[in-house]
Amino acid sequence: MRQVIGGLLLRQQPPRLAEATRILAEAAGALQRVGSVLDRAECDLERARAALWRGDSALAERLAAAALESLRGEAPLTSADLNLLLGDIARRSGRPADAARFFRAAGERLSAVGAGRGAAAAYAGLAERLIELGEGEEALRAYRLVPRALGLYLQPTGLVGAAN
């Protein structure tokens, strides 16, 4: 519950960083005792986001990298979110090649996620990040996967209105 509250505090405008950081630290402590690997990784994802908001890129990168490693290829949506965050950190740190590598890894992890709003949001976020890196073709592929992640399968335009 604390992890969710901390994440919601980070998403407010403006983010309530001090409160979110405190609550997420409490959540991390509790999850060390009773949480699953996924619970701890998701909490560390939020803690990494908070660290990045506070301007502590080094801590954000350490938390996100450790969380990603702990998942060992499981939990594709959380793994994708962690790769997106690591890409954001790399981009802000002036490492565009690393950012592109993390964003591509996020796309690979998303391919293992079924339909859902979380996957659609992640694909849209991936596309925006790829545009910022100048990767237009990859961004277009990611954007085209948003409707599929929502369970929508669009008819190709060449077949619409075609005579039989």
Side-chain angles (χ1 to χ4, degrees):
M1 179 75 95
R2 288 182 189 125
Q3 171 194 327
V4 172
I5 292 169
L8 290 172
L9 291 170
L10 289 177
R11 286 161 182 77
Q12 290 190 355
Q13 294 299 323
R16 293 168 52 184
L17 290 176
E19 191 175 358
T21 299
R22 179 183 56 75
I23 290 172
L24 289 167
E26 291 171 4
L31 290 172
Q32 287 302 321
R33 293 184 305 277
V34 298
S36 68
V37 171
L38 178 58
D39 292 334
R40 290 190 297 272
E42 288 176 343
C43 186
D44 283 345
L45 170 63
E46 295 299 344
R47 291 175 62 212
R49 285 180 176 145
L52 191 58
W53 270 101
R54 291 190 317 270
D56 192 343
S57 295
L59 176 59
E61 189 164 15
R62 279 194 310 274
L63 286 167
L68 184 61
E69 176 65 28
S70 74
L71 293 175
R72 290 180 169 75
E74 299 296 320
L77 187 54
T78 301
S79 294
D81 285 341
L82 286 160
N83 273 297
L84 289 172
L85 182 59
L86 287 164
D88 290 341
I89 294 165
R91 188 180 63 216
R92 288 184 185 187
S93 300
R95 301 181 342 247
D98 288 341
R101 180 176 51 84
F102 283 120
F103 294 153
R104 286 185 187 98
E108 290 170 12
R109 296 307 300 147
L110 284 172
S111 68
V113 176
R117 290 187 338 199
Y123 274 122
L126 173 60
E128 290 295 321
R129 288 165 170 98
L130 290 168
I131 286 171
E132 290 172 8
L133 283 180
E135 301 287 340
E137 286 184 38
E138 286 187 59
L140 182 57
R141 280 193 292 275
Y143 271 130
R144 286 184 172 155
L145 292 169
V146 171
R148 286 192 179 169
L150 292 171
L152 303 173
Y153 296 92
L154 306 176
Q155 185 175 18
T157 57
L159 300 177
V160 175
N164 291 334

Short mmCIF file of all heavy atoms in Angstrom, two decimals, residues 53-81:
data_model
loop_
_atom_site.label_atom_id
_atom_site.label_comp_id
_atom_site.label_asym_id
_atom_site.label_seq_id
_atom_site.Cartn_x
_atom_site.Cartn_y
_atom_site.Cartn_z
N TRP A 53 13.81 12.56 -9.89
CA TRP A 53 13.11 13.84 -9.71
C TRP A 53 13.92 14.77 -8.80
O TRP A 53 13.92 15.98 -8.98
CB TRP A 53 11.73 13.63 -9.10
CG TRP A 53 10.64 13.43 -10.10
CD1 TRP A 53 10.08 12.24 -10.48
CD2 TRP A 53 9.96 14.43 -10.84
NE1 TRP A 53 9.10 12.46 -11.41
CE2 TRP A 53 9.01 13.81 -11.65
CE3 TRP A 53 10.08 15.82 -10.89
CZ2 TRP A 53 8.17 14.51 -12.51
CZ3 TRP A 53 9.23 16.52 -11.75
CH2 TRP A 53 8.30 15.86 -12.54
N ARG A 54 14.58 14.19 -7.80
CA ARG A 54 15.38 15.00 -6.88
C ARG A 54 16.73 15.39 -7.48
O ARG A 54 17.49 16.14 -6.88
CB ARG A 54 15.63 14.24 -5.57
CG ARG A 54 14.40 14.03 -4.72
CD ARG A 54 14.74 13.49 -3.33
NE ARG A 54 15.72 12.43 -3.31
CZ ARG A 54 15.44 11.12 -3.40
NH1 ARG A 54 14.20 10.71 -3.54
NH2 ARG A 54 16.41 10.24 -3.36
N GLY A 55 17.05 14.85 -8.65
CA GLY A 55 18.31 15.18 -9.31
C GLY A 55 19.46 14.24 -8.97
O GLY A 55 20.60 14.52 -9.32
N ASP A 56 19.17 13.14 -8.31
CA ASP A 56 20.20 12.17 -7.93
C ASP A 56 20.22 11.03 -8.94
O ASP A 56 19.73 9.93 -8.69
CB ASP A 56 19.94 11.65 -6.52
CG ASP A 56 21.12 10.88 -5.94
OD1 ASP A 56 22.01 10.47 -6.72
OD2 ASP A 56 21.14 10.68 -4.71
N SER A 57 20.81 11.31 -10.10
CA SER A 57 20.84 10.32 -11.18
C SER A 57 21.61 9.07 -10.81
O SER A 57 21.24 7.96 -11.22
CB SER A 57 21.46 10.93 -12.45
OG SER A 57 20.66 11.96 -12.94
N ALA A 58 22.67 9.23 -10.03
CA ALA A 58 23.49 8.07 -9.66
C ALA A 58 22.68 7.09 -8.81
O ALA A 58 22.71 5.88 -9.05
CB ALA A 58 24.75 8.52 -8.92
N LEU A 59 21.96 7.60 -7.82
CA LEU A 59 21.12 6.73 -6.99
C LEU A 59 20.01 6.12 -7.82
O LEU A 59 19.72 4.93 -7.70
CB LEU A 59 20.54 7.51 -5.80
CG LEU A 59 19.57 6.72 -4.92
CD1 LEU A 59 20.24 5.49 -4.32
CD2 LEU A 59 18.99 7.63 -3.84
N ALA A 60 19.38 6.93 -8.67
CA ALA A 60 18.31 6.42 -9.51
C ALA A 60 18.80 5.26 -10.38
O ALA A 60 18.13 4.23 -10.49
CB ALA A 60 17.75 7.54 -10.39
N GLU A 61 19.98 5.43 -10.95
CA GLU A 61 20.53 4.38 -11.82
C GLU A 61 20.86 3.12 -11.02
O GLU A 61 20.58 2.01 -11.47
CB GLU A 61 21.78 4.89 -12.55
CG GLU A 61 22.27 3.96 -13.61
CD GLU A 61 23.24 4.62 -14.56
OE1 GLU A 61 23.77 5.72 -14.27
OE2 GLU A 61 23.49 4.03 -15.63
N ARG A 62 21.44 3.28 -9.83
CA ARG A 62 21.76 2.11 -9.00
C ARG A 62 20.49 1.35 -8.61
O ARG A 62 20.44 0.12 -8.70
CB ARG A 62 22.52 2.53 -7.74
CG ARG A 62 23.98 2.77 -7.94
CD ARG A 62 24.75 2.86 -6.64
NE ARG A 62 24.19 3.76 -5.65
CZ ARG A 62 24.42 5.07 -5.57
NH1 ARG A 62 25.22 5.65 -6.46
NH2 ARG A 62 23.88 5.80 -4.63
N LEU A 63 19.46 2.07 -8.18
CA LEU A 63 18.22 1.41 -7.77
C LEU A 63 17.56 0.69 -8.94
O LEU A 63 17.13 -0.46 -8.82
CB LEU A 63 17.24 2.44 -7.19
CG LEU A 63 17.55 2.97 -5.81
CD1 LEU A 63 16.69 4.20 -5.50
CD2 LEU A 63 17.33 1.89 -4.76
N ALA A 64 17.47 1.37 -10.09
CA ALA A 64 16.81 0.77 -11.25
C ALA A 64 17.59 -0.42 -11.79
O ALA A 64 16.99 -1.45 -12.13
CB ALA A 64 16.61 1.83 -12.34
N ALA A 65 18.91 -0.31 -11.86
CA ALA A 65 19.72 -1.41 -12.38
C ALA A 65 19.63 -2.63 -11.47
O ALA A 65 19.51 -3.76 -11.95
CB ALA A 65 21.18 -0.97 -12.55
N ALA A 66 19.68 -2.41 -10.16
CA ALA A 66 19.58 -3.53 -9.22
C ALA A 66 18.20 -4.18 -9.30
O ALA A 66 18.08 -5.41 -9.25
CB ALA A 66 19.87 -3.05 -7.80
N ALA A 67 17.16 -3.37 -9.43
CA ALA A 67 15.80 -3.92 -9.54
C ALA A 67 15.65 -4.74 -10.81
O ALA A 67 15.09 -5.84 -10.79
CB ALA A 67 14.77 -2.79 -9.51
N LEU A 68 16.19 -4.22 -11.92
CA LEU A 68 16.12 -4.96 -13.18
C LEU A 68 16.86 -6.28 -13.08
O LEU A 68 16.36 -7.32 -13.51
CB LEU A 68 16.69 -4.11 -14.32
CG LEU A 68 16.61 -4.69 -15.71
CD1 LEU A 68 15.15 -4.92 -16.14
CD2 LEU A 68 17.29 -3.76 -16.70
N GLU A 69 18.03 -6.26 -12.49
CA GLU A 69 18.82 -7.48 -12.32
C GLU A 69 18.07 -8.49 -11.45
O GLU A 69 18.10 -9.69 -11.72
CB GLU A 69 20.18 -7.15 -11.70
CG GLU A 69 21.04 -8.35 -11.39
CD GLU A 69 21.47 -9.12 -12.63
OE1 GLU A 69 21.59 -8.53 -13.71
OE2 GLU A 69 21.69 -10.35 -12.51
N SER A 70 17.39 -8.02 -10.43
CA SER A 70 16.70 -8.94 -9.52
C SER A 70 15.56 -9.68 -10.21
O SER A 70 15.21 -10.79 -9.81
CB SER A 70 16.15 -8.18 -8.31
OG SER A 70 15.01 -7.39 -8.65
N LEU A 71 15.00 -9.09 -11.25
CA LEU A 71 13.87 -9.73 -11.95
C LEU A 71 14.32 -10.85 -12.87
O LEU A 71 13.50 -11.70 -13.25
CB LEU A 71 13.08 -8.68 -12.74
CG LEU A 71 12.33 -7.67 -11.89
CD1 LEU A 71 11.69 -6.61 -12.78
CD2 LEU A 71 11.30 -8.34 -11.01
N ARG A 72 15.57 -10.87 -13.27
CA ARG A 72 16.15 -11.94 -14.10
C ARG A 72 15.26 -12.30 -15.30
O ARG A 72 14.99 -13.46 -15.57
CB ARG A 72 16.39 -13.18 -13.25
CG ARG A 72 17.50 -13.03 -12.25
CD ARG A 72 17.68 -14.32 -11.46
NE ARG A 72 18.88 -14.34 -10.66
CZ ARG A 72 19.07 -13.67 -9.53
NH1 ARG A 72 18.13 -12.87 -9.10
NH2 ARG A 72 20.18 -13.78 -8.86
N GLY A 73 14.80 -11.27 -16.00
CA GLY A 73 14.02 -11.51 -17.21
C GLY A 73 12.55 -11.78 -16.98
O GLY A 73 11.79 -11.93 -17.93
N GLU A 74 12.11 -11.84 -15.74
CA GLU A 74 10.69 -12.05 -15.44
C GLU A 74 9.98 -10.69 -15.38
O GLU A 74 10.61 -9.66 -15.47
CB GLU A 74 10.54 -12.78 -14.10
CG GLU A 74 11.19 -14.16 -14.08
CD GLU A 74 10.54 -15.14 -15.06
OE1 GLU A 74 9.30 -15.12 -15.18
OE2 GLU A 74 11.28 -15.87 -15.72
N ALA A 75 8.67 -10.73 -15.21
CA ALA A 75 7.86 -9.50 -15.07
C ALA A 75 8.14 -8.53 -16.20
O ALA A 75 8.74 -7.47 -15.99
CB ALA A 75 8.09 -8.87 -13.71
N PRO A 76 7.73 -8.86 -17.42
CA PRO A 76 8.12 -8.05 -18.58
C PRO A 76 7.68 -6.59 -18.51
O PRO A 76 8.42 -5.71 -18.95
CB PRO A 76 7.50 -8.77 -19.77
CG PRO A 76 6.51 -9.72 -19.21
CD PRO A 76 6.93 -10.02 -17.81
N LEU A 77 6.51 -6.29 -17.95
CA LEU A 77 6.07 -4.89 -17.92
C LEU A 77 6.94 -4.08 -16.95
O LEU A 77 7.39 -2.98 -17.28
CB LEU A 77 4.59 -4.79 -17.55
CG LEU A 77 3.99 -3.39 -17.64
CD1 LEU A 77 4.21 -2.76 -19.00
CD2 LEU A 77 2.50 -3.45 -17.31
N THR A 78 7.21 -4.63 -15.78
CA THR A 78 8.08 -3.93 -14.83
C THR A 78 9.49 -3.83 -15.39
O THR A 78 10.15 -2.79 -15.26
CB THR A 78 8.08 -4.65 -13.47
OG1 THR A 78 6.72 -4.69 -12.98
CG2 THR A 78 8.95 -3.94 -12.46
N SER A 79 9.97 -4.89 -16.04
CA SER A 79 11.30 -4.85 -16.67
C SER A 79 11.36 -3.77 -17.74
O SER A 79 12.35 -3.04 -17.85
CB SER A 79 11.66 -6.21 -17.27
OG SER A 79 11.80 -7.18 -16.27
N ALA A 80 10.29 -3.66 -18.53
CA ALA A 80 10.24 -2.63 -19.56
C ALA A 80 10.27 -1.24 -18.92
O ALA A 80 11.01 -0.35 -19.38
CB ALA A 80 8.99 -2.79 -20.43
N ASP A 81 9.48 -1.04 -17.86
CA ASP A 81 9.47 0.26 -17.18
C ASP A 81 10.85 0.60 -16.62
O ASP A 81 11.29 1.75 -16.68
CB ASP A 81 8.44 0.26 -16.05
CG ASP A 81 7.01 0.38 -16.55
OD1 ASP A 81 6.80 0.82 -17.70
OD2 ASP A 81 6.10 0.05 -15.77
#
